[in-house]
């Protein structure tokens, strides 16, 4: 069976490509889904990109991924900096976890410099724009290959 990669996105990322293009660029989450699916197809991986503005929904998808996915790519958005619940959920997942940030969070406000999710992530991308998701997909293929 083709391994599945969950690509999870947190609060406000539904607005990607529609607001603050100077920080987050002009590509939408649908563009990201298409780019990741294309890389997955090359690498023999299925992808499922999901976005929610609700912390509990992200936690539920991580639980679902325990059975359904071989790896997780996650941009937790603001939950990165606040959510022990997302960290605890990721700690129950056995496959590779890659954390993605579109912006270079370490160049931004001090409150964006700490990530709860980084305590679990096997790799972290920041500042590559939405291309960071594609790079994460390639690394995921390498890790699972
Ligand atoms: O750089 C990233 O990817 C972030 O995870 C984005 C979060 C921010 O809280 C993190 O510190 C860094 C914000 C996501 C908001 O997404 C928007 C996208 C387009 C327009 C407005 C918001």
């Amino acid at each position: 069976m083709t391994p599945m990669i969950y690509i999870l996105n947190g609060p406000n990322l539904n607005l990607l490509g529609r607001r603050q293009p100077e920080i987050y660029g002009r590509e939408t989450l649908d563009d990201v889904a298409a780019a990741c699916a294309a890389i997955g197809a090359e690498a023999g991986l299925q992808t499922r990109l999901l976005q929610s503005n609700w912390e509990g929904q992200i936690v539920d998808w991580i639980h679902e991924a325990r059975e359904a996915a071989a790896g997780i790519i996650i941009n937790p958005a603001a939950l990165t900096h606040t959510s022990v619940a997302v960290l605890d959920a990721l700690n129950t997942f056995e496959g590779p976890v890659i954390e993605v940030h579109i912006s270079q969070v370490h160049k931004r406000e001090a409150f964006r410099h700490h990530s709860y999710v980084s305590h679990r992530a096997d790799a972290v991308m920041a500042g590559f724009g939405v291309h960071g998701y594609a790079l994460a997909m390639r690394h995921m293929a390498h890790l699972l290959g």
Side-chain angles (χ1 to χ4, degrees):
M1 212 170 65
T2 313
M4 168 66 78
I5 307 304
Y6 270 28
I7 305 166
L8 302 178
N9 293 274
N12 298 305
L13 283 165
N14 52 310
L15 299 177
L16 194 64
R18 303 194 169 90
R19 298 277 187 284
Q20 297 181 272
E22 67 288 357
I23 302 176
Y24 300 113
R26 294 197 180 278
E27 287 177 274
T28 67
L29 220 43
D30 284 348
D31 296 327
V32 172
C36 290
I39 293 166
E42 270 175 33
L45 299 172
Q46 293 182 73
T47 54
R48 184 167 181 219
L49 185 141
L50 298 160
Q51 187 277 330
S52 180
N53 294 327
W54 296 86
E55 183 176 24
Q57 177 65 81
I58 302 286
V59 169
D60 283 346
W61 282 331
I62 294 168
H63 292 177
E64 187 183 300
R66 284 162 43 76
E67 305 300 325
I72 295 177
I73 293 171
I74 183 166
N75 183 347
L79 298 174
T80 307
H81 318 297
T82 62
S83 182
V84 177
V86 170
L87 171 62
D88 285 348
L90 287 170
N91 277 332
T92 73
F93 181 77
E94 288 181 3
V97 173
I98 305 180
E99 178 180 353
V100 172
H101 297 288
I102 298 165
S103 64
Q104 211 295 55
V105 281
H106 299 287
K107 214 166 88 172
R108 300 182 66 191
E109 302 95 323
F111 66 83
R112 296 184 203 277
H113 297 177
H114 176 260
S115 165
Y116 284 101
V117 169
S118 291
H119 291 265
R120 165 63 180 88
D122 299 297
V124 182
M125 316 287 311
F128 293 87
V130 293
H131 188 52
Y133 290 87
L135 294 171
M137 272 300 295
R138 292 202 188 282
H139 188 55
M140 188 61 82
H142 170 74
L143 291 175
L144 295 173

